[in-house]
Amino acid sequence: MSSQKPYLIRAIFDWLLDNGATPYLLVNTTFPGVKVPEDYINDNKIVLNIAPDAVQHFQADNEWISFSARFSGKPLELFVPIEAVLGIYGKENNQGMFFTEDEAPTPPDKPKPTPVKDRPSLKIVK
């Protein structure tokens, strides 16, 4: 089965907006593929305002969250792998969902190949 995390992130995002809260994303910036402004990283984490009035071109799928935002007046493209998301919550009340860093999905065990048995064969007997 696929990970629940991207679905939960999208659901909490919608829930926060429906309730008039400002959605914030807490991101582990040490994760490979994270592209965020380095000047705003604190203790290898960054908090991003992902409200529709703060970002453009917001897209969240099962692998990535991406959007455009301005930092000190400079437009930037941000990319966050779903595995790097530590939490999504409302600015006003801190309600939302937080994930532990060990919740990253682990690859499923490879199935062990079944031993190939010799096929029965016929011998010609004279």
Side-chain angles (χ1 to χ4, degrees):
M1 283 184 102
S2 60
S3 172
Q4 296 175 350
K5 191 172 181 179
Y7 299 94
L8 294 170
I9 291 168
R10 290 191 297 266
I12 297 296
F13 176 79
D14 288 341
W15 175 75
L16 289 167
L17 293 178
D18 287 350
N19 287 283
T22 306
Y24 274 13
L25 200 65
L26 177 62
V27 178
N28 173 355
T29 60
T30 63
F31 199 89
V34 172
K35 183 180 173 194
V36 296
E38 293 184 15
D39 294 344
Y40 298 89
I41 295 173
N42 188 12
D43 293 329
N44 294 322
K45 294 178 178 62
I46 190 169
V47 176
L48 301 167
N49 177 350
I50 56 171
D53 60 349
V55 301
Q56 294 180 328
H57 312 295
F58 182 83
Q59 186 171 0
D61 61 26
N62 290 350
E63 295 178 18
W64 293 90
I65 295 174
S66 63
F67 56 92
S68 301
R70 289 180 138 348
F71 291 86
S72 299
K74 291 175 52 180
L76 295 172
E77 296 290 323
L78 286 80
F79 298 93
V80 177
I82 291 295
E83 289 89 357
V85 175
L86 297 174
I88 180 167
Y89 61 95
K91 170 188 171 186
E92 296 78 8
N93 57 15
N94 288 334
Q95 289 188 2
M97 183 167 282
F98 294 87
F99 307 96
T100 60
E101 293 187 49
D102 60 337
E103 287 184 42
T106 55
D109 292 333
K110 291 184 179 178
K112 294 178 183 169
T114 56
V116 178
K117 295 180 181 177
D118 290 335
R119 295 180 66 179
S121 60
L122 296 174
K123 288 184 180 179
I124 298 177
V125 180
K126 293 188 180 185

PDB file of all heavy atoms in Angstrom, residues 67-90:
ATOM      1  N   PHE A  67       5.769  24.948  -4.830  1.00  0.00           N
ATOM      2  CA  PHE A  67       5.071  26.223  -4.958  1.00  0.00           C
ATOM      3  C   PHE A  67       6.090  27.333  -5.147  1.00  0.00           C
ATOM      4  O   PHE A  67       7.293  27.136  -4.973  1.00  0.00           O
ATOM      5  CB  PHE A  67       4.182  26.508  -3.736  1.00  0.00           C
ATOM      6  CG  PHE A  67       4.897  26.481  -2.421  1.00  0.00           C
ATOM      7  CD1 PHE A  67       5.438  27.631  -1.868  1.00  0.00           C
ATOM      8  CD2 PHE A  67       5.022  25.291  -1.717  1.00  0.00           C
ATOM      9  CE1 PHE A  67       6.084  27.617  -0.648  1.00  0.00           C
ATOM     10  CE2 PHE A  67       5.668  25.260  -0.492  1.00  0.00           C
ATOM     11  CZ  PHE A  67       6.201  26.428   0.044  1.00  0.00           C
ATOM     12  N   SER A  68       5.591  28.505  -5.511  1.00  0.00           N
ATOM     13  CA  SER A  68       6.409  29.710  -5.627  1.00  0.00           C
ATOM     14  C   SER A  68       6.050  30.622  -4.461  1.00  0.00           C
ATOM     15  O   SER A  68       4.890  30.706  -4.069  1.00  0.00           O
ATOM     16  CB  SER A  68       6.109  30.454  -6.929  1.00  0.00           C
ATOM     17  OG  SER A  68       6.351  29.628  -8.028  1.00  0.00           O
ATOM     18  N   ALA A  69       7.054  31.299  -3.927  1.00  0.00           N
ATOM     19  CA  ALA A  69       6.825  32.249  -2.833  1.00  0.00           C
ATOM     20  C   ALA A  69       7.896  33.325  -2.892  1.00  0.00           C
ATOM     21  O   ALA A  69       8.940  33.153  -3.530  1.00  0.00           O
ATOM     22  CB  ALA A  69       6.864  31.538  -1.488  1.00  0.00           C
ATOM     23  N   ARG A  70       7.635  34.425  -2.209  1.00  0.00           N
ATOM     24  CA  ARG A  70       8.590  35.531  -2.150  1.00  0.00           C
ATOM     25  C   ARG A  70       9.250  35.548  -0.781  1.00  0.00           C
ATOM     26  O   ARG A  70       8.598  35.433   0.242  1.00  0.00           O
ATOM     27  CB  ARG A  70       7.885  36.856  -2.396  1.00  0.00           C
ATOM     28  CG  ARG A  70       7.437  37.050  -3.846  1.00  0.00           C
ATOM     29  CD  ARG A  70       6.742  38.378  -4.005  1.00  0.00           C
ATOM     30  NE  ARG A  70       6.938  39.241  -5.112  1.00  0.00           N
ATOM     31  CZ  ARG A  70       7.832  39.241  -6.077  1.00  0.00           C
ATOM     32  NH1 ARG A  70       8.739  38.344  -6.106  1.00  0.00           N
ATOM     33  NH2 ARG A  70       7.839  40.132  -7.032  1.00  0.00           N
ATOM     34  N   PHE A  71      10.563  35.713  -0.788  1.00  0.00           N
ATOM     35  CA  PHE A  71      11.348  35.846   0.429  1.00  0.00           C
ATOM     36  C   PHE A  71      12.202  37.090   0.275  1.00  0.00           C
ATOM     37  O   PHE A  71      13.013  37.165  -0.649  1.00  0.00           O
ATOM     38  CB  PHE A  71      12.225  34.611   0.662  1.00  0.00           C
ATOM     39  CG  PHE A  71      11.426  33.390   1.010  1.00  0.00           C
ATOM     40  CD1 PHE A  71      10.895  32.579   0.014  1.00  0.00           C
ATOM     41  CD2 PHE A  71      11.186  33.057   2.329  1.00  0.00           C
ATOM     42  CE1 PHE A  71      10.148  31.463   0.330  1.00  0.00           C
ATOM     43  CE2 PHE A  71      10.441  31.943   2.659  1.00  0.00           C
ATOM     44  CZ  PHE A  71       9.918  31.147   1.655  1.00  0.00           C
ATOM     45  N   SER A  72      11.981  38.069   1.140  1.00  0.00           N
ATOM     46  CA  SER A  72      12.649  39.371   1.046  1.00  0.00           C
ATOM     47  C   SER A  72      12.461  39.983  -0.333  1.00  0.00           C
ATOM     48  O   SER A  72      13.383  40.560  -0.905  1.00  0.00           O
ATOM     49  CB  SER A  72      14.137  39.244   1.374  1.00  0.00           C
ATOM     50  OG  SER A  72      14.324  38.774   2.682  1.00  0.00           O
ATOM     51  N   GLY A  73      11.276  39.801  -0.892  1.00  0.00           N
ATOM     52  CA  GLY A  73      10.944  40.380  -2.186  1.00  0.00           C
ATOM     53  C   GLY A  73      11.414  39.584  -3.385  1.00  0.00           C
ATOM     54  O   GLY A  73      11.095  39.927  -4.520  1.00  0.00           O
ATOM     55  N   LYS A  74      12.190  38.522  -3.157  1.00  0.00           N
ATOM     56  CA  LYS A  74      12.695  37.707  -4.266  1.00  0.00           C
ATOM     57  C   LYS A  74      11.812  36.485  -4.470  1.00  0.00           C
ATOM     58  O   LYS A  74      11.578  35.724  -3.541  1.00  0.00           O
ATOM     59  CB  LYS A  74      14.121  37.236  -3.966  1.00  0.00           C
ATOM     60  CG  LYS A  74      15.153  38.347  -3.966  1.00  0.00           C
ATOM     61  CD  LYS A  74      16.535  37.853  -3.555  1.00  0.00           C
ATOM     62  CE  LYS A  74      16.962  36.661  -4.364  1.00  0.00           C
ATOM     63  NZ  LYS A  74      18.300  36.161  -3.999  1.00  0.00           N
ATOM     64  N   PRO A  75      11.307  36.283  -5.705  1.00  0.00           N
ATOM     65  CA  PRO A  75      10.503  35.083  -5.965  1.00  0.00           C
ATOM     66  C   PRO A  75      11.391  33.840  -6.025  1.00  0.00           C
ATOM     67  O   PRO A  75      12.479  33.859  -6.606  1.00  0.00           O
ATOM     68  CB  PRO A  75       9.863  35.372  -7.320  1.00  0.00           C
ATOM     69  CG  PRO A  75      10.766  36.346  -7.979  1.00  0.00           C
ATOM     70  CD  PRO A  75      11.422  37.145  -6.878  1.00  0.00           C
ATOM     71  N   LEU A  76      10.930  32.766  -5.386  1.00  0.00           N
ATOM     72  CA  LEU A  76      11.671  31.506  -5.370  1.00  0.00           C
ATOM     73  C   LEU A  76      10.712  30.347  -5.635  1.00  0.00           C
ATOM     74  O   LEU A  76       9.542  30.405  -5.280  1.00  0.00           O
ATOM     75  CB  LEU A  76      12.344  31.282  -4.018  1.00  0.00           C
ATOM     76  CG  LEU A  76      13.446  32.250  -3.609  1.00  0.00           C
ATOM     77  CD1 LEU A  76      13.853  31.992  -2.175  1.00  0.00           C
ATOM     78  CD2 LEU A  76      14.645  32.094  -4.529  1.00  0.00           C
ATOM     79  N   GLU A  77      11.240  29.297  -6.237  1.00  0.00           N
ATOM     80  CA  GLU A  77      10.512  28.043  -6.421  1.00  0.00           C
ATOM     81  C   GLU A  77      10.953  27.110  -5.301  1.00  0.00           C
ATOM     82  O   GLU A  77      12.143  26.885  -5.125  1.00  0.00           O
ATOM     83  CB  GLU A  77      10.838  27.411  -7.772  1.00  0.00           C
ATOM     84  CG  GLU A  77      10.395  28.226  -8.961  1.00  0.00           C
ATOM     85  CD  GLU A  77       8.884  28.240  -9.109  1.00  0.00           C
ATOM     86  OE1 GLU A  77       8.248  27.203  -8.841  1.00  0.00           O
ATOM     87  OE2 GLU A  77       8.351  29.296  -9.476  1.00  0.00           O
ATOM     88  N   LEU A  78      10.010  26.588  -4.550  1.00  0.00           N
ATOM     89  CA  LEU A  78      10.320  25.695  -3.443  1.00  0.00           C
ATOM     90  C   LEU A  78       9.852  24.285  -3.756  1.00  0.00           C
ATOM     91  O   LEU A  78       8.779  24.100  -4.358  1.00  0.00           O
ATOM     92  CB  LEU A  78       9.646  26.180  -2.154  1.00  0.00           C
ATOM     93  CG  LEU A  78      10.292  27.413  -1.531  1.00  0.00           C
ATOM     94  CD1 LEU A  78       9.856  28.673  -2.215  1.00  0.00           C
ATOM     95  CD2 LEU A  78       9.985  27.484  -0.071  1.00  0.00           C
ATOM     96  N   PHE A  79      10.641  23.297  -3.339  1.00  0.00           N
ATOM     97  CA  PHE A  79      10.327  21.887  -3.542  1.00  0.00           C
ATOM     98  C   PHE A  79      10.576  21.150  -2.232  1.00  0.00           C
ATOM     99  O   PHE A  79      11.656  21.268  -1.654  1.00  0.00           O
ATOM    100  CB  PHE A  79      11.190  21.277  -4.652  1.00  0.00           C
ATOM    101  CG  PHE A  79      10.962  21.919  -5.986  1.00  0.00           C
ATOM    102  CD1 PHE A  79      11.755  22.965  -6.417  1.00  0.00           C
ATOM    103  CD2 PHE A  79       9.935  21.479  -6.803  1.00  0.00           C
ATOM    104  CE1 PHE A  79      11.540  23.566  -7.644  1.00  0.00           C
ATOM    105  CE2 PHE A  79       9.708  22.079  -8.032  1.00  0.00           C
ATOM    106  CZ  PHE A  79      10.508  23.127  -8.454  1.00  0.00           C
ATOM    107  N   VAL A  80       9.575  20.398  -1.796  1.00  0.00           N
ATOM    108  CA  VAL A  80       9.676  19.657  -0.543  1.00  0.00           C
ATOM    109  C   VAL A  80       9.206  18.223  -0.784  1.00  0.00           C
ATOM    110  O   VAL A  80       8.029  18.003  -1.098  1.00  0.00           O
ATOM    111  CB  VAL A  80       8.803  20.306   0.562  1.00  0.00           C
ATOM    112  CG1 VAL A  80       8.866  19.485   1.840  1.00  0.00           C
ATOM    113  CG2 VAL A  80       9.224  21.751   0.807  1.00  0.00           C
ATOM    114  N   PRO A  81      10.096  17.244  -0.642  1.00  0.00           N
ATOM    115  CA  PRO A  81       9.636  15.858  -0.729  1.00  0.00           C
ATOM    116  C   PRO A  81       8.681  15.570   0.429  1.00  0.00           C
ATOM    117  O   PRO A  81       8.882  16.073   1.542  1.00  0.00           O
ATOM    118  CB  PRO A  81      10.921  15.032  -0.586  1.00  0.00           C
ATOM    119  CG  PRO A  81      12.040  15.994  -0.804  1.00  0.00           C
ATOM    120  CD  PRO A  81      11.535  17.339  -0.434  1.00  0.00           C
ATOM    121  N   ILE A  82       7.673  14.783   0.195  1.00  0.00           N
ATOM    122  CA  ILE A  82       6.698  14.457   1.238  1.00  0.00           C
ATOM    123  C   ILE A  82       7.391  13.886   2.471  1.00  0.00           C
ATOM    124  O   ILE A  82       7.024  14.212   3.605  1.00  0.00           O
ATOM    125  CB  ILE A  82       5.628  13.467   0.701  1.00  0.00           C
ATOM    126  CG1 ILE A  82       4.735  14.147  -0.338  1.00  0.00           C
ATOM    127  CG2 ILE A  82       4.806  12.869   1.826  1.00  0.00           C
ATOM    128  CD1 ILE A  82       3.871  15.277   0.194  1.00  0.00           C
ATOM    129  N   GLU A  83       8.420  13.078   2.280  1.00  0.00           N
ATOM    130  CA  GLU A  83       9.116  12.467   3.415  1.00  0.00           C
ATOM    131  C   GLU A  83       9.778  13.511   4.316  1.00  0.00           C
ATOM    132  O   GLU A  83      10.046  13.243   5.481  1.00  0.00           O
ATOM    133  CB  GLU A  83      10.176  11.462   2.931  1.00  0.00           C
ATOM    134  CG  GLU A  83       9.573  10.199   2.340  1.00  0.00           C
ATOM    135  CD  GLU A  83       9.307  10.346   0.840  1.00  0.00           C
ATOM    136  OE1 GLU A  83       9.531  11.440   0.281  1.00  0.00           O
ATOM    137  OE2 GLU A  83       8.863   9.370   0.234  1.00  0.00           O
ATOM    138  N   ALA A  84      10.054  14.709   3.790  1.00  0.00           N
ATOM    139  CA  ALA A  84      10.714  15.752   4.573  1.00  0.00           C
ATOM    140  C   ALA A  84       9.735  16.552   5.429  1.00  0.00           C
ATOM    141  O   ALA A  84      10.150  17.334   6.284  1.00  0.00           O
ATOM    142  CB  ALA A  84      11.476  16.695   3.639  1.00  0.00           C
ATOM    143  N   VAL A  85       8.429  16.363   5.224  1.00  0.00           N
ATOM    144  CA  VAL A  85       7.431  17.120   5.985  1.00  0.00           C
ATOM    145  C   VAL A  85       7.334  16.539   7.396  1.00  0.00           C
ATOM    146  O   VAL A  85       7.075  15.352   7.584  1.00  0.00           O
ATOM    147  CB  VAL A  85       6.052  17.074   5.293  1.00  0.00           C
ATOM    148  CG1 VAL A  85       4.992  17.753   6.156  1.00  0.00           C
ATOM    149  CG2 VAL A  85       6.125  17.730   3.925  1.00  0.00           C
ATOM    150  N   LEU A  86       7.576  17.407   8.385  1.00  0.00           N
ATOM    151  CA  LEU A  86       7.473  17.006   9.785  1.00  0.00           C
ATOM    152  C   LEU A  86       6.121  17.368  10.389  1.00  0.00           C
ATOM    153  O   LEU A  86       5.730  16.822  11.415  1.00  0.00           O
ATOM    154  CB  LEU A  86       8.585  17.662  10.607  1.00  0.00           C
ATOM    155  CG  LEU A  86      10.012  17.270  10.218  1.00  0.00           C
ATOM    156  CD1 LEU A  86      11.016  18.084  11.003  1.00  0.00           C
ATOM    157  CD2 LEU A  86      10.223  15.784  10.446  1.00  0.00           C
ATOM    158  N   GLY A  87       5.416  18.304   9.762  1.00  0.00           N
ATOM    159  CA  GLY A  87       4.111  18.674  10.285  1.00  0.00           C
ATOM    160  C   GLY A  87       3.404  19.680   9.414  1.00  0.00           C
ATOM    161  O   GLY A  87       4.025  20.383   8.614  1.00  0.00           O
ATOM    162  N   ILE A  88       2.091  19.731   9.558  1.00  0.00           N
ATOM    163  CA  ILE A  88       1.265  20.746   8.930  1.00  0.00           C
ATOM    164  C   ILE A  88       0.267  21.174   9.998  1.00  0.00           C
ATOM    165  O   ILE A  88      -0.399  20.336  10.611  1.00  0.00           O
ATOM    166  CB  ILE A  88       0.578  20.253   7.636  1.00  0.00           C
ATOM    167  CG1 ILE A  88      -0.269  21.376   7.030  1.00  0.00           C
ATOM    168  CG2 ILE A  88      -0.194  18.970   7.851  1.00  0.00           C
ATOM    169  CD1 ILE A  88      -0.724  21.108   5.609  1.00  0.00           C
ATOM    170  N   TYR A  89       0.200  22.487  10.249  1.00  0.00           N
ATOM    171  CA  TYR A  89      -0.610  22.965  11.361  1.00  0.00           C
ATOM    172  C   TYR A  89      -1.060  24.398  11.111  1.00  0.00           C
ATOM    173  O   TYR A  89      -0.535  25.087  10.239  1.00  0.00           O
ATOM    174  CB  TYR A  89       0.175  22.876  12.674  1.00  0.00           C
ATOM    175  CG  TYR A  89       1.435  23.707  12.687  1.00  0.00           C
ATOM    176  CD1 TYR A  89       1.437  24.995  13.223  1.00  0.00           C
ATOM    177  CD2 TYR A  89       2.621  23.218  12.160  1.00  0.00           C
ATOM    178  CE1 TYR A  89       2.588  25.772  13.225  1.00  0.00           C
ATOM    179  CE2 TYR A  89       3.774  23.986  12.163  1.00  0.00           C
ATOM    180  CZ  TYR A  89       3.749  25.260  12.703  1.00  0.00           C
ATOM    181  OH  TYR A  89       4.891  26.027  12.702  1.00  0.00           O
ATOM    182  N   GLY A  90      -2.026  24.832  11.890  1.00  0.00           N
ATOM    183  CA  GLY A  90      -2.544  26.182  11.778  1.00  0.00           C
ATOM    184  C   GLY A  90      -1.720  27.163  12.594  1.00  0.00           C
ATOM    185  O   GLY A  90      -1.389  26.900  13.751  1.00  0.00           O
TER     186      GLY A  90
END
